[in-house]
Amino acid sequence: MDVGESQPDRRTERAYIGLGSNIGDRERYLQEAVRLLQEHPEVQVTGTSGRYETEPVGYVEQDPFLNMVIRVETTLTAERLFEQMLQAEQMLGRKREIRWGPRTIDLDLLLYGDMVQDRPDLILPHPRMLERAFVLVPLIEVMKPHEPERAMELNRHLERAEGKEGVKLWTN
């Protein structure tokens, strides 16, 4: 089966993808990543959060990030969607040199339906998502209209998360 293929009878799943950029034209990298994912015939972007400027986490000697979350409907498996995300990162010049270091684009598969898995190549839900305000703020925003109960549950995690005061809605 080709990277882009899915099973013909596969049902549609809702997934949430976190995006971040802190090198160059950050907004353009976010827009291009969304466009590349949307171009796939089995991925439909059905919601986008605002863009938030955030201070770096982990390796802090770098420029601030622009972060956002998109909601997609897809018939791709979680693994195939993840492969498309890695391909988009590669096309946009992502280099993995420093853990949590500067990057043109970073795409994280946060949630894929209700899937829970712990594999070396893909852990779902994203393992550090509940600790990071820069993920939770835009995730809750894009999730709230469609899954209000799930958004309220995530909001409880946000209340305990560190750094939420550093997550600011960005306007260019």
Side-chain angles (χ1 to χ4, degrees):
M1 195 179 282
D2 193 58
V3 169
E5 289 183 28
S6 70
Q7 301 161 12
D9 58 347
R10 177 126 178 100
R11 61 180 270 237
T12 299
E13 283 291 351
R14 177 176 298 148
Y16 292 91
I17 300 171
L19 298 87
S21 174
N22 78 333
I23 294 178
D25 187 344
R26 303 173 301 168
E27 185 175 30
R28 187 182 68 77
Y29 281 117
L30 295 177
Q31 290 169 343
E32 284 298 303
V34 172
R35 183 187 62 76
L36 288 169
L37 292 171
Q38 178 72 37
E39 280 182 352
H40 192 284
E42 295 181 71
V43 177
Q44 181 182 6
V45 177
T46 57
T48 60
S49 72
R51 290 166 180 78
Y52 292 85
E53 190 164 56
T54 62
E55 292 302 315
V57 172
Y59 179 73
V60 296
E61 297 299 317
Q62 58 183 319
D63 292 332
F65 279 83
L66 272 189
N67 293 100
M68 66 182 291
V69 171
I70 60 172
R71 177 178 173 262
V72 301
E73 302 285 335
T74 184
T75 52
L76 296 175
T77 63
E79 291 74 21
R80 297 287 188 234
L81 178 58
F82 186 63
E83 287 174 16
Q84 289 299 313
M85 293 164 55
L86 292 175
Q87 189 175 48
E89 285 184 344
Q90 201 171 30
M91 291 174 71
L92 294 172
R94 168 78 190 264
K95 296 193 183 354
R96 296 175 186 273
E97 296 167 341
I98 301 172
R99 182 175 169 92
W100 297 322
R103 60 206 86 154
T104 55
I105 193 70
D106 181 34
L107 300 175
D108 290 320
L109 186 53
L110 304 173
L111 297 164
Y112 181 89
D114 294 321
M115 181 179 279
V116 176
Q117 75 176 27
D118 188 353
R119 296 183 10 192
D121 59 332
L122 182 58
I123 301 172
L124 290 167
H126 189 282
R128 290 171 300 281
M129 164 180 97
L130 298 178
E131 305 161 9
R132 296 182 168 167
F134 69 85
V135 171
L136 289 172
V137 170
L139 176 58
I140 291 166
E141 177 190 329
V142 76
M143 182 182 279
K144 195 182 268 183
H146 307 280
E147 299 179 73
E149 301 83 21
R150 200 170 186 187
M152 281 182 16
E153 179 186 326
L154 290 173
N155 202 57
R156 287 191 283 280
H157 290 280
L158 177 60
E159 289 169 5
R160 295 188 299 270
E162 292 182 27
K164 56 184 167 278
E165 59 283 337
V167 179
K168 301 197 181 343
L169 191 59
W170 185 78
T171 57
N172 58 352

